[in-house]
Amino acid sequence: KNEVEQSPQNLTAQEGEFITINCSYSVGISALHWLQQHPGGGIVSLFMLSSGKKKHGRLIATINIQEKHSSLHITASHPRDSAVYICAVNSGGGADGLTFGKGTHLIIQP
Amino acid sequence: DTEVTQTPKHLVMGMTNKKSLKCEQHMGHRAMYWYKQKAKKPPELMFVYSYEKLSINESVPSRFSPECPNSSLLNLHLHALQPEDSALYLCASSQEWGGEQFFGPGTRLTVL
């Protein structure tokens, strides 16, 4: 079974700072997902990637398949970015669900 | 329609009750998932349906019984639950196996 590790577990930063959240996994995957969960429960898919880099607004996600590592970056962070960010992987092989990391609790202070 | 809906939002039930959770999507997705999330923990996969057939059951107790009546609808039937089953139950769907998943808002279940 794939082991997904995230760091840091908690991160508090000031508005405007550049944020990096890291994710590593133990076994080869078909895809990696970055998800955002706000208090109250709703989960939003931010990125799904299997190679390279993707950008959406102020968010950038990268993945290095050889090193089994991915990063999520937030540029010009804002208090509304405060949420739990979760890394999850598909290990492939068919109709599989996601294996989740424990999440990074991000707080952006004004 | 680009969302996954779940009903009810909240559910309180006794250990002898029978209740059902409902999940619906109209995006034409062919894979649907049930996850359980305890407080301050990541979600855990329970079941995967692909093309209306159960593909994965992650050793979930039989007091949880999934059903996929059609490609848009996924139910989770609950019977004789325990207080430790109290959690947020999340439904998700994806276009195909292993695709990007779209999550519903969840049903917060409390078992007394």
Side-chain angles (χ1 to χ4, degrees):
Chain A
K1 188 173 179 179
N2 222 329
E3 301 290 332
V4 180
E5 298 286 339
Q6 277 186 247
S7 63
Q9 288 187 25
N10 296 283
L11 178 58
T12 299
Q14 295 299 121
E15 183 173 355
E17 286 189 39
F18 182 82
I19 303 298
T20 296
I21 299 170
N22 295 299
C23 175
S24 61
Y25 50 93
S26 58
V27 180
I29 61 170
S30 57
L32 182 141
H33 304 250
W34 281 104
L35 309 167
Q36 181 192 57
Q37 187 169 30
H38 280 285
I43 292 180
V44 175
S45 175
L46 299 175
F47 296 102
M48 174 181 164
L49 62 165
S50 54
S51 65
K53 176 180 175 178
K54 287 190 176 181
K55 184 175 189 289
H56 185 256
R58 295 180 294 106
L59 301 178
I60 302 166
T62 64
I63 187 168
N64 185 319
I65 296 294
Q66 286 73 32
E67 294 188 3
K68 296 186 177 64
H69 181 268
S70 175
S71 293
L72 176 69
H73 305 286
I74 304 175
T75 62
S77 60
H78 189 277
R80 65 175 174 266
D81 297 325
S82 298
V84 177
Y85 291 84
I86 305 171
C87 172
V89 300
N90 287 107
S91 295
D96 59 337
L98 296 173
T99 301
F100 294 82
K102 292 184 178 176
T104 294
H105 189 193
L106 174 65
I107 297 173
I108 304 297
Q109 295 178 334
Chain B
D1 189 350
T2 58
E3 65 173 0
V4 177
T5 59
Q6 288 188 246
T7 54
K9 285 188 168 54
H10 300 274
L11 178 62
V12 179
M13 60 186 290
M15 289 189 284
T16 58
N17 292 158
K18 285 185 182 181
K19 297 286 184 185
S20 296
L21 310 184
K22 179 180 171 182
C23 172
E24 201 160 4
Q25 56 87 14
H26 296 286
M27 295 179 278
H29 289 177
R30 303 317 301 263
M32 296 184 76
Y33 311 79
W34 279 117
Y35 294 93
K36 173 182 176 180
Q37 186 177 28
K38 300 283 278 184
K40 299 191 186 301
K41 298 284 188 185
E44 296 175 1
L45 180 66
M46 300 175 73
F47 302 104
V48 181
Y49 271 83
S50 180
Y51 287 83
E52 299 157 51
K53 290 190 180 351
L54 183 63
S55 297
I56 294 179
N57 174 344
E58 289 284 349
S59 302
V60 179
S62 59
R63 58 185 183 268
F64 295 92
S65 176
E67 178 197 18
C68 190
N70 59 59
S71 60
S72 300
L73 188 55
L74 186 65
N75 298 319
L76 186 63
H77 302 297
L78 315 172
H79 173 55
L81 294 193
Q82 304 296 311
E84 60 264 29
D85 296 321
S86 298
L88 180 69
Y89 288 84
L90 291 159
C91 173
S93 70
S94 62
Q95 185 71 37
E96 294 288 346
W97 301 346
E100 181 181 14
Q101 293 189 22
F102 293 79
F103 286 81
T107 293
R108 192 161 298 280
L109 173 68
T110 302
V111 182
L112 300 176

